């Protein structure tokens, strides 16, 4: 019935391709012979008064104040692939798929990842930790490299620290460490949480393949609109609007969460235990992986 | 492991009807009864006020393309459910024991484009060469009704309907059988100017509503719970026992999208990849099928290779939630405020996962769908989730993937 032929991406950025002797390795950068050069890259929060908490009202009517939002991201890849949907309309895809997924494809609706692998022309093979509450940029510890070709999208990955197998499901790397308060209708909730992109976010094991994705997919934000032609001497900026991660969060759902001695609710990410992943943490996780609205990637050319 | 589906389309009987062409670049010829019409509805191509006139296309002949539309066999047969059903079956079954039958699946097809150079830019497959032929509708199609053209899936129950024919390029030149041309189309908002391809009276009435409400895709049907009655001792009994066993649903989706430079699974794969575009035959016309996969709307995960199907979140928000034996009704509007990251019933109770198939392991938590990088204007809206997921269902020739451009803000 409705059998299909396998499709294979040309230059799939698989996690395994990125690991060589415990270090990140380049994907398919600069295949076309274009001019190549290195560049500085940095990450930070979106523009706002430097320092201090960030306050906003989310779509659930909660007045949220973030006092801490430390983020660790990297590597970053720059792709010739166009976003399938505009930045305003939102798009992301699961990213590269396991080879098996390409070879054995279900008959009914396969190939819905939509975003192809494209071709990576630039990369920053490092990680950086910064406060997403501050617009102050923090430089990556390594320079990136790029071929001078039109970039259309960026991929931001949240991988374990260099030296750790990117396929490892049990890791300690905190992608986002947050704390703050939320108030609505006289109710005030203090909260804190640490988002780790580990197996808590993977689909439960099942005999089949539907809905399953490798852990590496959990750690990728693909298809971020980033249209520019890199110029030698320029630098790459990655900015994050952390408020997006809380847009749909209902802090009233934290009533069963564990709390510190001072009453601060602790966000939970867990498949097991008395309290499983709570809706606020789920919002943070989903928001961190949004390809539109949360990340702003641009090339800054010197005057 | 790699399989290639080679479809040999038995179009001869349909095309031999010699019906008149209605589109640009087509040959005008003799008229004949509408071969597309479902049995018992032949010839009713006009709306009651004269609107919606549609003349079925003629066989464009050798070197031409016959454009058809299909919702595959599922559009007409629906989703069955038995205790042996599998979530990963073919077709897939709902994990939570629901059988679905469709009454209507309405889409509006427009801006059918054939462009040169489908391989122009590997990084941006939406960037193709110049338009060499095009057909403007809009064409209102009921995929449940289908037509008389054998479908591309190979399933005997799949009946595609002819929408348009393209016999040659806009400049009068024939299509080069040695060349592939990019193929693209749009699903647009329902339009008062649409040509009714195969709409019966009920479908026309529904289409009028779609025009008024700005829907671009409408799925109307009945869901029937076929699983075992929830045991009082089972987890989730308090909720599952209140879900109506029969639910009539109307999902009017505002999700117009463009499907650009589709891959063609009728062509021979090059390496491990199907080529993009369509290719004419020097000997006969070539059918190009606009295909809608109707399972996408019920997925639990966006932007991935399929996912399991669930109906509980829809049924639990139907009008008669709380009285299981009363038939409920539910529309997309009823689901707008349902949070897909913490799905609740109409009464506000957390809805647990439920699996009544052997190949899906439910989490022991409230149902949470996976946005997988997609954000909506109304954060986490179930209605937006359904609209976005359904929009991913447009394909070509059954399984050929297209570059999707959502012409809406989910």
């Amino acid at each position: 019935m409705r059998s299909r032929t396998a499709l294979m991406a040309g230059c799939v950025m698989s996690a395994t391709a990125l690991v060589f002797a415990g270090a990140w390795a380049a994907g398919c950068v600069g295949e076309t012979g274009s001019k190549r050069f290195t560049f500085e890259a940095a990450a930070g929060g979106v523009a706002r008064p430097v320092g201090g908490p960030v306050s906003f009202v989310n779509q659930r009517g909660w007045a949220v104040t973030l006092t801490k939002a430390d983020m660790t991201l990297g590597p970053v890849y720059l792709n010739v692939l166009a976003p399938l949907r505009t930045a305003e309309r939102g798009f992301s895809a699961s990213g590269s798929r396991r080879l098996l997924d390409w070879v054995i494809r279900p008959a009914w609706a396969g190939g819905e990842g939509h975003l192809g692998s494209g071709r990576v022309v630039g990369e920053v093979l490092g990680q950086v930790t910064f406060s997403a509450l501050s617009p102050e940029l923090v430089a990556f510890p390594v320079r990136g490299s790029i071929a001078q070709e039109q970039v259309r999208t960026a991929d931001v990955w949240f991988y374990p620290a260099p030296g750790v197998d990117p396929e490892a499901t049990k890791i300690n790397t905190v992608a986002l460490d947050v704390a703050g308060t939320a108030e609505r209708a006289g109710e005030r909730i203090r909260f804190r949480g640490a988002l780790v992109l580990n197996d808590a976010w993977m689909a439960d094991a099942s005999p089949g393949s539907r809905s399953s994705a490798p852990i590496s997919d959990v750690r990728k934000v693909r298809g971020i609109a980033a249209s520019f032609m890199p110029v030698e001497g320029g630098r790459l900026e990655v900015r994050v609007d952390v408020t997006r991660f809380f847009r749909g969060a209902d802090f009233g759902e934290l009533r069963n969460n564990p709390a510190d001695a001072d009453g601060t609710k602790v966000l939970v990410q867990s498949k097991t235990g008395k309290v499983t992943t709570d809706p606020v943490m789920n919002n943070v996780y989903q928001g961190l992986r949004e390809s539109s609205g949360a990340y702003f990637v641009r090339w800054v050319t010197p005057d | 492991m790699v399989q290639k589906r080679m479809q040999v389309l038995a179009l001869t009987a349909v095309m031999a009807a010699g019906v008149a062409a209605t589109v640009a670049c087509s040959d005008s010829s003799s008229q004949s009864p509408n071969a597309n019409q479902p049995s018992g509805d032949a010839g009713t191509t006009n709306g009651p006020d004269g609107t919606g006139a549609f003349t079925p296309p003629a066989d464009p002949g050798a070197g031409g393309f016959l454009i058809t539309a299909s919702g595959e066999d599922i559009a007409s047969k629906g989703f069955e459910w038995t205790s042996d059903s599998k979530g990963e079956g073919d077709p897939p079954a709902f994990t939570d024991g629901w059988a679905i039958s469709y009454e209507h699946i309405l889409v509006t097809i427009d801006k059918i484009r054939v462009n040169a150079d489908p391989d122009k830019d590997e990084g941006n497959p939406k960037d193709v060469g110049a338009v060499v032929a095009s057909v403007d509708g809009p064409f209102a199609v009921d995929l449940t009704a289908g037509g008389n053209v054998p479908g591309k899936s190979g399933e005997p129950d799949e009946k595609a309907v002819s929408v348009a024919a393209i016999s040659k390029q806009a400049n009068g030149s024939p299509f080069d059988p040695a060349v592939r041309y990019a193929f693209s189309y749009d699903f647009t908002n329902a339009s008062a100017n649409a040509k009714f391809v195969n709409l019966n009276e009920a479908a026309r009435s529904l289409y009028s509503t779609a025009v008024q409400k700005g829907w671009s895709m409408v799925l109307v049907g009945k869901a029937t719970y076929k699983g075992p009655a929830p045991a009082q001792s089972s987890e989730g009994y308090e909720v599952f026992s209140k879900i109506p066993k029969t639910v009539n649903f109307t999902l009017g989706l505002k999700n117009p999208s463009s499907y650009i430079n589709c891959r063609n699974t009728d062509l021979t794969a090059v390496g491990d990849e199907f080529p993009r575009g369509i290719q004419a035959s020097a000997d006969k016309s070539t059918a190009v099928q606009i295909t809608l996969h109707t399972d996408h709307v019920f997925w639990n995960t966006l932007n991935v290779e399929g996912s399991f199907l669930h109906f509980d979140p829809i049924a639990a928000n139907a009008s008669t939630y709380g009285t299981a034996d009363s038939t409920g009704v539910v529309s997309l509007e009823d689901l707008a405020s349902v949070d897909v990251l913490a799905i609740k019933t109409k009464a506000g109770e957390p809805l647990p996962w439920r699996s009544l198939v052997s190949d899906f392991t439910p989490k022991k938590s409230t149902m949470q769908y996976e946005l997988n990088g997609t954000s909506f204007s109304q954060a986490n809206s179930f209605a937006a989730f359904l609209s976005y997921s359904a929009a991913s269902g447009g394909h070509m020739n059954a399984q050929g993937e297209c570059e999707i451009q959502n012409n809406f803000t989910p």
Side-chain angles (χ1 to χ4, degrees):
Chain A
M1 300 182 60
R2 286 177 282 182
S3 58
R4 351 220 345 234
T5 297
L7 306 181
M8 180 62 126
C11 175
V12 177
M13 296 180 296
S14 71
T16 49
L18 288 167
V19 178
F20 181 75
W24 290 329
C28 306
V29 175
E31 292 175 332
T32 62
S34 304
K35 179 182 180 182
R36 296 195 55 175
F37 49 87
T38 64
F39 61 90
E40 289 184 355
V46 294
R48 55 168 57 95
V50 176
V54 171
S55 298
F56 56 97
V57 177
N58 78 2
Q59 289 193 1
R60 304 284 178 201
W62 289 92
V64 182
T65 298
L66 295 177
T67 56
K68 180 182 185 183
D70 293 342
M71 194 169 208
T72 298
L73 64 78
V76 174
Y77 294 92
L78 303 170
N79 204 313
V80 299
L81 191 69
L84 291 179
R85 294 157 175 93
T86 65
E88 290 72 32
R89 288 169 178 150
F91 167 75
S92 181
S94 60
S96 57
R97 282 172 246 164
R98 295 169 300 178
L99 179 60
L100 193 64
D101 290 338
W102 290 100
V103 174
I104 306 172
R105 311 189 71 205
W108 2 263
E112 308 311 331
H114 297 303
L115 187 66
S117 56
R119 183 162 47 83
V120 174
V121 295
E123 58 194 7
V124 185
L125 298 177
Q127 272 186 335
V128 64
T129 299
F130 59 95
S131 170
L133 302 183
S134 168
E136 186 176 342
L137 291 165
V138 177
F140 281 76
V142 297
R143 290 177 69 83
S145 67
I146 194 166
Q148 192 166 32
E149 290 192 54
Q150 178 68 39
V151 171
R152 298 189 182 93
T153 50
D155 300 342
V156 172
W157 294 17
F158 291 86
Y159 261 28
V164 177
D165 181 357
E167 300 283 8
T169 55
K170 309 288 186 188
I171 63 170
N172 298 317
T173 305
V174 176
L176 182 66
D177 192 359
V178 293
T181 60
E183 294 183 69
R184 185 178 69 178
E187 185 179 12
R188 185 172 190 270
I189 296 171
R190 288 160 56 170
F191 65 91
R192 68 175 177 86
L195 175 63
V196 178
L197 299 179
N198 59 17
D199 55 358
W201 302 105
M202 294 182 70
D204 282 353
S206 65
S209 60
R210 288 204 143 196
S211 299
S212 63
I215 186 69
S216 55
D217 278 6
V218 166
R219 297 168 176 156
K220 297 172 186 171
V221 183
R222 294 203 62 211
I224 301 166
S227 180
F228 59 81
M229 174 65 80
V231 176
E232 190 165 13
R235 58 187 168 82
L236 184 74
E237 279 187 11
V238 179
R239 293 190 181 274
V240 182
D241 181 0
V242 72
T243 66
R244 293 281 300 191
F245 304 170
F246 296 88
R247 277 199 320 149
D250 184 354
F251 291 87
E253 299 280 359
L254 297 178
R255 59 183 65 88
N256 295 324
N257 280 45
D260 295 333
D262 65 355
T264 300
K265 291 289 188 180
V266 181
L267 306 185
V268 172
Q269 59 166 76
S270 175
K271 288 182 179 179
T272 60
K274 192 173 180 181
V275 178
T276 55
T277 300
D278 63 71
V280 175
M281 183 59 107
N282 199 9
N283 271 267
V284 172
Y285 165 74
Q286 299 286 351
L288 179 131
R289 298 180 64 233
E290 285 182 8
S291 64
S292 66
Y295 299 90
F296 303 90
V297 179
R298 68 170 186 154
W299 187 265
V300 180
T301 305
D303 296 332
Chain B
M1 302 300 292
V2 177
Q3 303 176 58
K4 174 71 177 88
R5 175 176 54 77
M6 294 298 292
Q7 291 287 332
V8 179
L9 295 171
L11 292 171
T12 309
V14 174
M15 295 176 177
V19 292
T22 61
V23 300
C25 314
S26 299
D27 299 325
S28 294
S29 58
S30 59
Q31 297 278 346
S32 80
N34 183 357
N36 287 328
Q37 293 302 314
S39 174
D41 198 25
T44 53
T45 57
N46 292 343
D49 57 355
T51 61
F54 173 76
T55 305
D59 179 356
F65 299 104
L66 180 69
I67 314 302
T68 67
S70 172
E72 302 193 309
D73 55 330
I74 290 176
S76 55
K77 292 168 54 182
F79 296 86
E80 256 307 325
W81 198 93
T82 72
S83 57
D84 295 328
S85 291
K86 295 284 173 55
E88 293 197 287
D90 186 3
F94 283 78
T95 64
D96 42 16
W98 290 90
I100 302 290
S101 60
Y102 289 114
E103 293 174 26
H104 302 286
I105 300 173
L106 302 185
V107 294
T108 304
I109 299 169
D110 201 4
K111 299 185 185 338
I112 298 168
R113 284 101 68 199
V114 180
N115 291 66
D117 202 356
D119 302 325
K120 181 180 177 183
D121 185 343
E122 61 165 332
N124 182 14
K126 285 186 287 192
D127 185 11
V128 293
V131 175
V132 299
S134 63
V135 180
D136 282 337
F139 301 103
V141 181
D142 188 345
L143 297 175
T144 300
N148 292 332
V149 181
K152 295 274 188 171
S153 71
E155 292 296 308
D157 294 323
E158 182 188 5
K159 300 299 182 188
V161 61
S162 299
V163 174
I166 304 173
S167 61
K168 54 195 173 187
Q169 299 186 46
N171 64 7
S173 303
F175 291 104
D176 184 346
V179 170
R180 281 182 289 111
Y181 299 88
F183 180 81
S184 310
Y185 63 94
D186 286 2
F187 284 151
T188 64
N189 288 341
S191 167
N193 298 320
K195 302 172 178 70
F196 293 160
V197 173
N198 63 345
L199 272 55
N200 62 19
E201 288 301 328
R204 288 177 198 152
S205 175
L206 178 63
Y207 195 81
S208 294
T209 303
V211 172
Q212 293 168 8
K213 298 207 171 188
W215 295 337
S216 52
M217 192 181 291
V218 191
L219 296 94
V220 176
K222 181 168 78 172
T224 307
Y225 179 71
K226 296 284 187 73
Q232 287 195 20
S233 57
S234 64
E235 193 170 347
Y237 170 79
E238 287 297 322
V239 170
F240 297 137
S241 61
K242 296 184 208 170
I243 296 177
K245 296 170 188 167
T246 304
V247 175
N248 294 319
F249 62 88
T250 300
L251 302 178
L253 309 170
K254 298 177 180 178
N255 58 357
S257 299
S258 298
Y259 301 86
I260 303 169
N261 198 9
C262 305
R263 293 189 183 276
N264 191 344
T265 45
D266 279 356
L267 299 179
T268 302
V270 178
D272 293 317
E273 202 164 59
F274 281 113
R276 295 183 186 276
I278 55 178
Q279 198 161 0
S281 166
D283 304 321
K284 56 184 174 55
S285 61
T286 301
V288 179
Q289 180 179 295
I290 293 169
T291 307
L292 179 69
H293 290 169
T294 56
D295 57 337
H296 291 215
V297 68
F298 300 111
W299 284 355
N300 65 26
T301 303
L302 299 178
N303 303 319
V304 299
E305 171 80 13
S307 77
F308 287 97
L309 311 180
H310 311 274
F311 197 80
D312 275 350
I314 298 174
N317 284 281
S319 59
T320 56
Y321 178 78
T323 52
D325 291 328
S326 299
T327 297
V329 295
V330 65
S331 68
L332 197 74
E333 289 76 11
D334 298 319
L335 307 173
S337 297
V338 175
D339 187 332
V340 290
L341 299 190
I343 297 174
K344 293 179 178 174
T345 69
K346 187 177 179 66
E349 305 146 314
L351 178 65
W353 292 93
R354 170 161 64 170
S355 177
L356 300 171
V357 296
S358 58
D359 59 348
F360 173 67
T361 306
K363 295 177 182 177
K364 296 186 183 304
S365 67
T366 301
M367 289 190 79
Q368 302 171 346
Y369 279 9
E370 172 60 63
L371 298 172
N372 200 19
T374 304
S375 57
F376 305 132
S377 300
Q378 182 177 346
N380 312 334
S381 167
F382 190 20
F385 187 102
L386 294 169
S387 298
Y388 182 91
S389 195
S392 71
H395 293 69
M396 181 179 81
N397 288 347
Q399 306 291 356
E401 297 169 18
C402 311
E403 300 298 308
I404 300 176
Q405 176 178 297
N406 290 144
N407 301 321
F408 66 102
T409 302

